[in-house]
């Protein structure tokens, strides 16, 4: 069976760096940090008081006000990103076979705000009124509902589900969407991820694990991947949606093509519930699998958007894995962690980083890893690798690879390359 070629034809984004893909990309290239004091709840008694929140978002620009009230913020972000991606793709749904257009989203947690709000209402009322729950509690909270809502809005009858593999969720979604198209099961897939977990339970839970940075006095400088003084990741929220399309279908309608999806990889650390394997065994395997799937050699890759969360073990193990997989070629490519700017979008991290990788390939420019200082070097990291510290770098980007690794040892990787007919 001959596999179909798959291309990216649309992008939509709601992120801490902007409520469009264009604004987000502009701020990524400028090295802007999205971190600031948390506004979603009172952080007085929390160890971490900052995060990368979405700013100035108005759901009613995309969703009817009455319907928006039935959606958790993570779902609202996904609906907005999907609408922008659809409009950007200029896909005419009246001329499409809607049975072959589907939705696969990556969601790590889902409706945390809805869950916490409902529990607060229960605690407030149950002694005097009995257990009172909102009839929309469950459909607002469940992680799959964003994919369902998108399909209902556009009448899409193709494959429809979510993937949930912690921080690898949306890269797994992209891989599934890619495979559904290249195997001929769909012609167009709406894919990406969404997350909105900057609430008491999310911040408190990650604080209890000592996973979050506590650099409360300078939040915009807190995420500093590959620097010795890194002390944890910065939580973020938002959604990015990509439109993936079978090449001949895209060409037939004259679609604008950002890049081609070349391959994907998956693996497991099989090591620890939260920590990466210290020698990067799972990270090494997932990149090898992605290269093999793409039919590429290490020297074919010019850019890696790394998982790079600004945690001690994770950054070291990923740098080790890159050196092992790419050998001499590792020192010729560019590496950057855009989490230094966007923060960590948890289940949506892979989607925002895939978008960045696609745009790096399209525009021949590599965004930076910000917040690094020359006197802040970790002796366990090889700085002969080009981490693209603090400034963008113009270069030819023939192909880029995006890594995501999740709690539970889930690893996923996707490769994008320049589209050549």
């Amino acid at each position: 069976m001959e596999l179909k070629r798959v291309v990216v034809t649309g992008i939509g984004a709601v992120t801490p760096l902007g409520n469009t893909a264009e604004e987000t990309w502009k701020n990524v290239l400028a090295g802007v940090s999205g971190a600031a004091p948390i506004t979603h709840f009172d952080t007085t008694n929390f160890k971490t008081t900052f995060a990368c929140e979405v700013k100035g978002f108005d759901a009613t620009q995309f969703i009817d006000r009455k319907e928006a009230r039935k959606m958790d913020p993570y779902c609202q972000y996904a609906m907005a990103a999907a609408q922008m991606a659809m409009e950007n793709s200029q896909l005419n749904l009246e001329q499409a076979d809607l049975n072959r257009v589907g939705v696969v989203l990556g969601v790590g947690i889902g409706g945390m705000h809805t869950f916490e709000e409902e529990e607060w209402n229960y605690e407030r009322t149950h002694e005097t009124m009995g257990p009172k729950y909102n009839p929309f509690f469950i459909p607002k909270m469940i992680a799959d509902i964003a994919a369902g809502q998108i399909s209902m809005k556009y009448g899409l009858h193709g494959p429809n589900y979510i993937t949930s593999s912690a921080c690898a969720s949306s890269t797994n979604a992209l891989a599934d969407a890619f495979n559904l198209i290249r195997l001929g099961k769909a012609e167009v897939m709406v894919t990406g991820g969404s997350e909105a977990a900057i609430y008491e339970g999310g911040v408190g839970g990650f604080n209890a694990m000592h996973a979050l940075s506590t650099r409360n006095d300078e939040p915009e400088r807190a995420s500093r991947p590959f620097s010795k003084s890194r002390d944890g990741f910065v939580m973020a929220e938002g959604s990015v949606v990509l439109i993936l399309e079978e090449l001949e279908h895209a060409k037939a309608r004259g679609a604008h093509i950002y890049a081609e999806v070349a391959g994907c990889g998956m693996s497991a650390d099989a090591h620890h519930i939260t920590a990466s394997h210290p020698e990067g065994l799972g990270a090494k395997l997932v990149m090898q699998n992605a290269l093999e799937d793409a039919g590429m050699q290490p020297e074919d890759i010019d850019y890696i958007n790394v998982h790079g969360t600004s945690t001690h073990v994770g950054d070291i193990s990923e740098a080790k894995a890159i050196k092992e997989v790419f050998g001499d070629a590792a020192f010729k490519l560019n590496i950057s962690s855009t989490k230094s700017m966007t923060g960590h979008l948890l289940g949506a991290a892979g989607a925002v980083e895939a978008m960045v990788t696609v745009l790096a390939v399209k525009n021949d420019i590599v965004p930076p890893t910000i917040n690094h200082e020359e006197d802040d070097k970790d002796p366990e990291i090889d700085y002969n690798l080009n981490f693209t510290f603090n400034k963008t770098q113009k270069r030819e980007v023939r192909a880029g690879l995006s890594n995501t690794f999740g709690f539970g040892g889930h690893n996923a990787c996707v490769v994008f390359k320049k589209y050549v007919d």
Side-chain angles (χ1 to χ4, degrees):
M1 175 182 176
E2 185 178 354
L3 297 176
K4 310 283 188 181
R5 292 174 66 185
V6 181
V7 292
V8 180
T9 59
I11 303 174
V14 176
T15 79
L17 296 183
N19 293 333
T20 65
E22 293 80 6
E23 186 180 5
T24 299
W25 177 239
K26 177 183 176 182
N27 283 325
V28 163
L29 294 182
V32 174
S33 170
I38 290 171
T39 65
H40 291 343
F41 65 94
D42 181 0
T43 61
T44 300
N45 296 317
F46 284 76
K47 294 178 182 178
T48 296
T49 63
F50 65 95
C52 289
E53 294 178 336
V54 167
K55 304 163 187 71
F57 175 74
D58 181 1
T60 61
Q61 292 182 357
F62 305 93
I63 314 161
D64 175 79
R65 186 177 300 276
K66 184 178 179 180
E67 291 303 309
R69 291 176 61 192
K70 302 174 186 176
M71 298 180 191
D72 186 87
Y74 99 91
C75 186
Q76 294 177 358
Y77 296 155
M79 293 290 283
Q83 180 175 320
M84 287 185 278
M86 285 291 234
E87 291 172 354
N88 182 241
S89 75
Q90 298 185 331
L91 181 67
N92 187 337
L93 293 178
E94 292 182 359
Q95 296 178 356
D97 181 352
L98 299 185
N99 293 332
R100 294 177 60 76
V101 183
V103 185
V104 182
L105 290 183
V107 181
I109 296 175
M112 176 167 279
H113 172 63
T114 296
F115 185 86
E116 292 196 351
E117 184 179 56
E118 205 65 27
E119 286 302 291
W120 182 84
N121 287 336
Y122 173 77
E123 291 295 328
R124 182 172 57 86
T125 63
H126 81 282
E127 290 186 359
T128 56
M129 301 176 63
K132 298 290 184 181
Y133 285 92
N134 188 313
F136 293 105
F137 169 42
I138 298 300
K140 282 178 69 176
M141 178 195 71
I142 52 179
D144 71 296
I145 202 66
Q149 289 279 19
I150 292 168
S151 72
M152 286 182 273
K153 178 175 181 176
Y154 296 104
L156 311 179
H157 296 286
N160 186 275
Y161 57 96
I162 66 111
T163 58
S164 188
S165 49
C167 305
S169 297
S170 50
T171 305
N172 278 126
L174 286 161
D176 278 13
F178 168 56
N179 282 322
L180 285 165
I181 296 172
R182 70 171 172 172
L183 291 171
K185 306 297 184 182
E187 290 176 336
V188 181
M189 292 297 298
V190 181
T191 187
S194 192
E195 203 79 274
I198 306 175
Y199 297 99
E200 287 94 332
V203 175
F206 282 114
N207 267 155
M209 296 168 54
H210 304 286
L212 296 182
S213 171
T214 57
R215 196 180 290 265
N216 297 314
D217 56 337
E218 47 178 2
E220 70 284 352
R221 294 179 57 76
S223 183
R224 45 183 58 212
F226 306 105
S227 294
K228 183 179 180 180
S229 62
R230 65 193 183 278
D231 70 330
F233 72 81
V234 177
M235 191 181 291
E237 63 182 355
S239 176
V240 168
V241 169
L242 305 181
I243 305 300
L244 301 192
E245 194 166 348
E246 192 271 322
L247 174 60
E248 295 306 318
H249 187 276
K251 288 168 63 177
R253 67 180 188 87
H256 171 76
I257 295 174
Y258 285 93
E260 183 170 356
V261 189
C264 60
M266 287 165 269
S267 75
D269 280 3
H271 169 67
H272 189 271
I273 58 172
T274 58
S276 303
H277 191 285
E279 298 303 317
L281 296 186
K284 176 182 175 182
L285 180 59
V286 76
M287 288 186 281
Q288 289 172 330
N289 289 343
L291 288 172
E292 181 179 354
D293 190 52
M296 290 182 168
Q297 299 301 315
E299 56 269 23
D300 296 327
I301 302 295
D302 293 316
Y303 171 52
I304 302 177
N305 189 299
V306 291
H307 189 56
T309 55
S310 191
T311 55
H312 180 70
V313 174
D315 288 4
I316 293 170
S317 62
E318 189 168 13
K320 287 181 179 178
I322 290 170
K323 287 177 64 177
E324 287 199 41
V325 171
F326 287 86
D328 290 341
F331 303 99
K332 299 174 184 178
L333 52 79
N334 278 70
I335 296 163
S336 70
S337 172
T338 45
K339 286 185 180 73
S340 60
M341 295 169 283
T342 66
H344 191 350
L345 277 78
L346 307 178
V352 69
E353 289 152 21
M355 176 187 75
V356 169
T357 306
V358 165
L359 293 175
V361 170
K362 177 68 174 175
N363 296 293
D364 287 321
I365 191 167
V366 175
T369 304
I370 68 168
N371 294 329
H372 181 72
E373 299 162 5
E374 273 299 309
D375 60 354
D376 194 16
K377 291 184 175 179
D378 186 332
E380 296 187 73
I381 292 175
D382 186 348
Y383 291 96
N384 291 309
L385 295 170
N386 184 357
F387 292 104
T388 323
F389 285 131
N390 300 322
K391 292 183 179 180
T392 58
Q393 183 176 330
K394 287 286 294 181
R395 65 164 294 168
E396 182 183 22
V397 184
R398 298 164 300 164
L401 181 152
S402 179
N403 281 339
T404 46
F405 313 139
F407 284 177
H410 312 296
N411 307 307
C413 177
V414 62
V415 180
F416 300 97
K417 67 180 181 181
K418 272 190 166 46
Y419 165 65
V420 179
D421 194 359

